[in-house]
Amino acid sequence: MTDLEKAKEIFQKENCTLVLCKGDDVFTSDQTGIKKLVELAEGDKDFSDYSACDKIVGRAAAFLYVLLGVKHVHATVMAKLAIQILDRAEITYSADTFADTIQNRQNTDICPMEKAVIRSGSPIKALEDIKTELKRLSV
């Protein structure tokens, strides 16, 4: 079984929102939103060559996966704009559904994290922009 197959299986069986897998090393989360990916991107753990399975991957999450150095990302829903970022970083990807944009939780507008990174030209800048938006939203 590949790392990606294992990540997808755990994702489905354990009803996770995020799974990162490399061999026997597996990280799971049931936290919604992008905060957990931000924490991982700022952490000390090396996720190079891991496979990821995520509920929703837009541009913001794609930038964070580049920082993490994963080799493959599978999403339940992936924004078409995320593909460009993953392609540039040579991260392979797959999705159950490809969407034009990622919507907010009320489905009334574009996700605020997607808006935050609309002008981010690099993963480092995107991380800064995401953190700024998370602070703004928590006030």
Side-chain angles (χ1 to χ4, degrees), residues 105-120:
R105 291 184 182 157
Q106 296 76 30
N107 208 25
T108 58
D109 197 6
I110 295 173
C111 169
M113 295 303 115
E114 296 301 283
K115 286 183 179 182
V117 299
I118 199 82
R119 299 206 189 313
S120 302

Side-chain angles (χ1 to χ4, degrees), residues 33-95:
I34 203 164
K35 287 181 186 177
K36 184 50 73 179
L37 272 181
V38 170
E39 290 173 18
L40 295 176
E42 292 187 308
D44 294 332
K45 184 160 176 63
D46 181 10
F47 286 100
S48 297
D49 296 327
Y50 278 63
S51 289
C53 193
D54 198 333
K55 196 166 190 162
I56 300 171
V57 176
R59 281 177 50 89
F63 276 126
L64 297 175
Y65 281 119
V66 171
L67 289 175
L68 289 172
V70 301
K71 67 179 178 181
H72 187 92
V73 176
H74 176 81
T76 305
V77 177
M78 182 177 288
K80 292 175 184 173
L81 291 173
I83 294 169
Q84 298 169 352
I85 295 160
L86 297 172
D87 276 344
R88 255 185 265 137
E90 298 181 357
I91 297 171
T92 58
Y93 59 86
S94 58

Side-chain angles (χ1 to χ4, degrees), residues 1 8 24 30 100 110 124:
M1 177 180 290
K8 288 167 84 172
D24 291 332
D30 61 1
D100 290 328
I110 295 173
I124 298 293

